[in-house]
Amino acid sequence: MTDATPEEGHAPRESLFEAPPIAEQERMVEAILFASAEPVTVKELNDRMPHGCDAAEAMVYLRKRYDGRGVNVVRVGDAWAIRTAPDLGFLMQRETVETRKLSRAAVETLAIIAYHQPVTRAEIEEIRGVSVSRGTVDQLLEMEWIRFGRRRMTPGRPVTFVVTQGFLDHFGLESARDLPGLADLRAAGLLESRPSPLGVPQAGEGDVDAEEGPEEGQSELFED
């Protein structure tokens, strides 16, 4: 009598190598996240760890252990990272790099993409009511806060734009769904009281990319 072979679709046989204890797997995940400058996905963690490890389960224990500590394990899109606790950010002020403010055109373009992604350039222009200069989009791409999305299945197959994981990480968001709502923006004084027809901050009067170019020696993306 011959041994029966597993049929296709059945669960694979267990590995000949026993996975490390979950406490050791937790330490491995901690070490990888601590040494990584960029957020790391569960798949990337599993690829680095010994065969049979379960990075997702180890992450549950690691998050619980860091809860309430000076640094937290946070989710960034579909990845994970170790970041300073939000309430202790003031302690890092001397180590942060001072950045220049984004111009109004860049802020509005970025906000439209974040709230309406995936969105085409034509749709951005329709929402803002003015033309979007190529320089604004190009520099947002260079900052890696936006990226190209899928092309629309419409005449011309226009490319769309979406925000990146770097954008979410910079603003401490797990996903674009965590962006503040209109009521929160108005309460913070960041949005005019009159309602926006398409759910984003209104473009300022006279702030027209096509009509008013940047001053000499100054990028349109930034303002002093």
Side-chain angles (χ1 to χ4, degrees):
M1 181 175 180
T2 58
D3 294 336
T5 58
E7 297 180 4
E8 185 178 357
H10 284 199
R13 292 179 298 178
E14 293 185 3
S15 170
L16 298 177
F17 302 96
E18 185 177 354
I22 191 63
E24 186 66 17
Q25 296 183 41
E26 181 186 345
R27 292 181 66 238
M28 294 177 185
V29 170
E30 179 183 25
I32 295 172
L33 293 184
F34 183 81
S36 300
E38 301 295 331
V40 185
T41 66
V42 170
K43 181 182 183 306
E44 291 170 337
L45 289 170
N46 279 325
D47 290 343
R48 298 188 193 183
M49 295 166 66
H51 185 73
C53 288
D54 187 346
E57 182 181 1
M59 188 70 68
V60 173
Y61 290 97
L62 187 64
R63 291 189 74 188
K64 193 173 300 183
R65 184 155 64 90
Y66 272 95
D67 187 33
R69 308 276 302 183
V71 293
N72 302 145
V73 178
V74 299
R75 185 164 187 167
V76 182
D78 60 349
W80 296 91
I82 292 179
R83 295 289 183 262
T84 302
D87 61 318
L88 299 180
F90 70 95
L91 297 173
M92 309 298 133
Q93 288 180 352
R94 289 187 179 182
E95 284 72 33
T96 57
V97 178
E98 183 178 357
T99 57
R100 292 184 293 174
K101 293 174 59 179
L102 289 172
S103 69
R104 177 176 301 202
V107 170
E108 290 175 354
T109 300
L110 183 60
I112 291 169
I113 294 172
Y115 280 94
H116 293 272
Q117 63 177 339
V119 60
T120 66
R121 180 189 293 269
E123 290 167 341
I124 296 173
E125 293 177 344
E126 181 181 356
I127 293 171
R128 287 199 66 216
V130 295
S131 298
V132 177
S133 72
R134 181 175 179 180
T136 296
V137 174
D138 286 347
Q139 293 192 51
L140 286 174
L141 287 169
E142 290 177 6
M143 293 174 67
E144 297 184 349
W145 277 7
I146 66 172
R147 64 176 176 82
F148 294 114
R150 293 184 178 180
R151 290 184 177 273
R152 283 279 170 81
M153 300 300 291
T154 56
R157 298 289 306 280
V159 69
T160 61
F161 298 98
V162 297
V163 294
T164 64
Q165 186 169 281
F167 168 86
L168 299 176
D169 191 18
H170 182 85
F171 290 100
L173 303 172
E174 181 175 325
S175 71
R177 292 189 298 272
D178 296 323
L179 286 165
L182 294 179
D184 297 324
L185 293 175
R186 292 195 181 99
L190 301 175
L191 187 64
E192 296 181 12
S193 297
R194 68 176 186 273
S196 170
L198 290 170
V200 295
Q202 295 281 356
E205 293 182 4
D207 179 33
V208 182
D209 293 354
E211 295 179 2
E212 296 183 8
E215 296 179 6
E216 184 178 356
Q218 178 180 342
S219 167
E220 187 227 10
L221 182 66
F222 298 101
E223 60 185 14
D224 294 331

